[in-house]
Amino acid sequence: MRILVLNCGSSSAKFAVFEATTGQELANGLAQRLGSPQAILAWKHPGGVGEEPLPGAHHAAALRAVVRVLTDLGLTEGLAGIGHRVVNGGAQMTTSAIVTREIEQIISDCVAISPLHNPPNMVGIRLAQELFPGLPQVAVFDTAFHQTMPEVAWRYPVPREWDAYGVRRYGFHGTSHRFVSQEAHRRLGAEARRLVTAHLGNGCSACAILEGRSLDTTMGLTPLEGLMMGTRSGSVDPALVGFVAERSGLTAAEVIDALNKKSGLLGVSGISNDLRTVMAAASAGQGDARIAIDLFTAILAKAIAGLAVPLGGLDALVFTGGIGENAKPIRAAVIKHLGWMGLTLDANLNDGHGKAADGRITTDVPGPRALVIPTNEELMIARDTAALVLPRR
Ligand code: ADP
């Protein structure tokens, strides 16, 4: 039996096919730049790679192309279910779930809080229902893992009347935080009781995890809160919105748009949202690249230290996502900031991304350690889907 995983983002759609019982990956791919003349689908499988331009294609056309490619490869035979990444399931969804009318309603209700993310997720579900009628569809929510947060973590200190609008902290990237925390437990056992996981991609968030349960996280009502990111500012004084709007002539919505799309590494460096480009510019002594990197690491280190408070200490810090898995100088700078907590970098292990020591990049002494663990959200979605759709043995 096989599981197809679909992850529809705002202008991209990722997919992967897994063997349901072993978790072995049989194919994966990405349709990107959707809605533009450069839209393109690329895929790989053990027998090779492929690519197909899809000029002007939006999600639905791209997903039809994905299904055609997978059918040609014989990978749509024996599908047991389809797992969908869904960004926001609100406070109601605490676990992954088979898609029913009620679940569809919850995903639609959450469009108000995640207007960029939930609609493409819903397109993926609808199309999969049309192309594979009768096959179970499973929704795996980015927010679900964080629903174990206590009220002191999810409540904002704001007027209670706003509860009626759904104002609270939800947290995101839950599928990734859950995957790497399970992997840390597999590797470290009881020594991974108190974890902070740092998912650092284009979006960035960190999470405090006690014995496998999320206790607190840096993203909030929307993915704008918390760490500095590629184009997002992360946390700023909320009074800044009105202050800048008054002086610039922008509306509040336009200022918030700039905090989402023109801030972070891009806004501070003035060069790029892509850390690789910013690091190259900093090495060349270009403009404001260095301060952008220093700000990124200082904010991240402060957040990690803050997340150790609800945990009552720290056993392990996990780096993941494109930056966490690859950017050695970022990891080194963060660990340097956190030296007072007992973390000491092993420069050789960090250079090899921890591969020589089962992920570890700190020295092998008693006390907290740091690890690099590659995330695999698609595999986590496939596992959840298999658990819900395969007959229990
Ligand atoms: P997404 O959130 O879109 O999945 P990724 O997890 O792929 O993004 O992370 C993208 C980020 O990772 C970019 O800022 C990119 O520059 C950074 N990155 C990827 N590889 C490296 C590398 N070798 N060194 C530094 N940064 C890297």
Side-chain angles (χ1 to χ4, degrees):
M1 300 294 263
R2 292 167 178 159
I3 305 287
L4 168 61
V5 173
L6 294 178
N7 176 354
C8 293
S10 50
S11 65
S12 69
K14 280 191 202 168
F15 69 92
V17 181
F18 294 90
E19 195 57 60
T21 42
T22 61
Q24 185 200 350
E25 191 178 272
L26 303 172
N28 72 48
L30 170 68
Q32 55 185 334
R33 300 195 280 275
L34 296 179
S36 81
Q38 292 81 33
I40 186 159
L41 169 65
W43 64 91
K44 58 182 179 201
H45 58 103
V49 296
E51 208 177 78
E52 186 179 324
L54 300 169
H58 287 274
H59 287 89
L63 289 177
R64 283 181 203 282
V66 166
V67 171
R68 187 170 23 80
V69 165
L70 293 176
T71 305
D72 288 348
L73 292 170
L75 291 175
T76 47
E77 280 159 39
L79 278 183
I82 302 182
H84 299 266
R85 175 186 186 211
V86 180
V87 167
N88 204 323
Q92 272 171 283
M93 296 313 305
T94 58
T95 57
S96 302
I98 292 188
V99 176
T100 59
R101 286 252 153 104
E102 281 106 314
I103 300 290
E104 284 180 27
Q105 190 58 49
I106 291 172
I107 300 171
S108 302
D109 291 346
C110 291
V111 167
I113 5 179
S114 288
L116 297 181
H117 297 101
N118 273 27
N121 301 157
M122 213 45 234
V123 170
I125 292 174
R126 289 262 147 77
L127 200 87
Q129 287 168 332
E130 180 196 319
L131 296 175
F132 299 97
L135 201 61
Q137 313 285 330
V138 169
V140 178
F141 301 94
D142 268 18
T143 47
F145 182 57
H146 302 299
Q147 299 314 307
T148 50
M149 290 195 296
E151 191 168 353
V152 289
W154 63 251
R155 182 169 287 285
Y156 287 113
V158 296
R160 282 227 170 233
E161 299 90 271
W162 298 354
D163 287 13
Y165 308 135
V167 169
R168 50 159 286 167
R169 307 184 65 248
Y170 294 100
F172 298 89
H173 289 147
T175 309
S176 176
H177 290 299
R178 184 157 58 104
F179 180 84
V180 295
S181 76
Q182 288 181 359
E183 189 55 32
H185 281 273
R186 197 183 61 73
R187 296 181 193 189
L188 302 178
E191 287 170 48
R193 210 173 70 82
R194 299 169 303 177
L195 283 182
V196 172
T197 51
H199 175 100
L200 310 173
N202 279 308
C204 300
S205 73
C207 182
I209 303 172
L210 183 67
E211 292 171 353
R213 290 159 65 88
S214 170
L215 277 194
D216 203 350
T217 189
T218 54
M219 284 178 167
L221 172 68
T222 76
L224 181 55
E225 190 181 347
L227 306 177
M228 176 172 164
M229 315 182 203
T231 61
R232 294 187 200 128
S233 59
S235 295
V236 292
D237 183 342
L240 167 160
V241 176
F243 186 89
V244 173
E246 264 172 38
R247 282 157 183 79
S248 64
L250 298 174
T251 63
E254 286 166 342
V255 177
I256 293 168
D257 197 55
L259 292 174
N260 268 305
K261 297 188 187 145
K262 295 184 185 161
S263 302
L265 289 171
L266 173 65
V268 179
S269 71
I271 293 168
S272 174
N273 66 306
D274 192 291
L275 180 70
R276 269 170 300 197
T277 311
V278 180
M279 286 193 339
S283 302
Q286 253 174 282
D288 295 315
R290 173 50 50 197
I291 183 64
I293 293 171
D294 289 349
L295 198 52
F296 183 90
T297 50
I299 290 170
L300 175 56
K302 275 197 276 188
I304 294 166
L307 289 169
V309 173
L311 293 172
L314 181 70
D315 296 321
L317 165 64
V318 177
F319 289 98
T320 195
I323 294 174
E325 292 167 30
N326 297 295
K328 307 170 203 175
I330 298 289
R331 295 191 304 246
V334 169
I335 289 170
K336 193 164 175 219
H337 277 299
L338 299 176
W340 59 272
M341 289 174 76
L343 290 151
T344 320
L345 188 77
D346 181 317
N348 283 332
L349 289 180
N350 189 42
D351 280 350
H353 307 295
K355 287 189 182 124
D358 215 12
R360 180 169 54 80
I361 55 169
T362 41
T363 52
D364 193 12
V365 293
R369 65 190 85 185
L371 286 90
V372 178
I373 299 183
T375 194
N376 194 336
E377 289 165 281
E378 282 73 26
L379 178 56
M380 191 80 250
I381 294 170
R383 284 180 185 163
D384 279 11
T385 306
L388 285 166
V389 305
L390 291 187
R392 290 186 200 285
R393 278 175 291 174

